[in-house]
Amino acid sequence: MAIIAPSLLAADFLHLGKACDMLNESEAAWFHLDVMDGSFVPNISFGLPIIEQIRKATTKICDVHLMIVQPEKYIEAFKKAGADILTVHYEACPNLLETLSQIKAQGMKAGVAINPDTDVQVLNDIITEIDVVCVMSVFPGFGGQKFIEHTYEKVAALKNSIQLKGAHTLIEIDGGVTEQNAHALILAGADVLVAGTTVFKAPDPLKSIAQLRSF
Ligand code: DX5
Ligand code: ZN
């Protein structure tokens, strides 16, 4: 059974309380929260005050995905806002190992996201230090984009490296996940599926979450 992480980015921002209520009732285990700074990615989403409110309203694990430059500056702030998992981008961290250990020192799980054009091999030597690898299956910045097919090969290679090192790292897929590609992603080795559009634009979001989880 997959871990499903619906992405708040696709929710109705006028009714975030409703999104939390729906999610609390659902079979999703995580809530994926996309923070964008207009610098690392060409879009701006939401930040600390929204996450603080979501934390109060959700019973789920808050999975915060930072698409920001210099994420190391905000580790404590996101912990205080309520993050359980804090994911930084490989491409934004000149001293990734140090950043990961700072995240863990704050009592959070540490995630590393990699862009579609970043090779998974770059994480080989540090894989045992990473709790979650977030494989971007679209270029980060916007919801509702088309899934990049090359992702399957990356997931398989990553799974291989995780198993070779005896690591317990989870593989999360972020971008363009649908009820059509979810099964193949799980077969390729994915553990966690982020889904924004598929869940929040569905006629029945609870059913869509249950369907994604069943693979
Ligand atoms: C993209 C974000 C994704 C996005 C996924 O930059 O990181 O989490 O919300 O949205 P969908 O599922 O709509 O592709
Ligand atoms: Zn994300």
Side-chain angles (χ1 to χ4, degrees):
M1 285 261 184
I3 294 173
I4 305 304
S7 170
L8 182 72
L9 197 61
D12 176 354
F13 281 14
L14 258 187
H15 300 104
L16 294 181
K18 275 192 192 160
C20 290
D21 292 345
M22 181 280 289
L23 209 77
N24 289 344
E25 254 185 68
S26 79
E27 293 177 28
W30 295 9
F31 206 169
H32 188 81
L33 305 168
D34 285 313
V35 178
M36 304 180 186
D37 66 353
S39 182
F40 180 73
V41 285
N43 195 9
I44 299 174
S45 57
F46 52 81
L48 293 159
I50 296 284
I51 292 176
E52 259 175 60
Q53 297 308 314
I54 297 290
R55 169 77 285 165
K56 290 182 202 159
T58 188
T59 55
K60 307 293 180 174
I61 289 171
C62 286
D63 171 36
V64 177
H65 176 192
L66 297 183
M67 285 162 272
I68 66 175
V69 297
Q70 298 188 303
E72 65 281 357
K73 283 189 178 174
Y74 300 97
I75 293 169
E76 203 183 332
F78 281 101
K79 168 68 185 176
K80 282 195 179 134
D84 299 299
I85 302 167
L86 195 62
T87 294
V88 294
H89 263 266
Y90 169 82
E91 301 83 5
C93 295
N95 199 349
L96 184 57
L97 262 186
E98 174 64 21
T99 303
L100 296 177
S101 73
Q102 285 168 1
I103 293 172
K104 290 186 273 189
Q106 290 284 333
M108 296 179 284
K109 298 278 186 199
V112 177
I114 52 168
N115 279 342
D117 55 3
T118 298
D119 200 310
V120 291
Q121 310 283 349
V122 298
L123 302 179
N124 270 355
D125 290 343
I126 58 164
I127 198 73
T128 53
E129 302 304 315
I130 307 174
D131 295 306
V132 184
V133 174
C134 179
V135 179
M136 293 307 301
S137 38
V138 297
F139 281 90
F142 300 90
Q145 301 183 73
K146 193 176 173 295
F147 178 83
I148 298 171
E149 297 290 324
H150 175 56
T151 308
Y152 295 114
E153 289 160 46
K154 293 179 79 172
V155 173
L158 188 57
K159 193 73 174 184
N160 196 31
S161 139
I162 290 169
Q163 283 170 345
L164 276 176
K165 302 264 167 141
H168 302 287
T169 315
L170 295 176
I171 301 178
E172 177 177 43
I173 311 298
D174 190 2
V177 171
T178 64
E179 285 156 20
Q180 283 68 47
N181 59 24
H183 192 208
L185 285 166
I186 297 300
L187 287 179
D191 304 289
V192 185
L193 302 177
V194 174
T197 307
T198 294
V199 166
F200 283 101
K201 309 291 186 230
D204 185 345
L206 288 174
K207 204 168 147 193
S208 164
I209 291 170
Q211 171 81 21
L212 290 169
R213 180 164 176 264
S214 69
F215 296 118

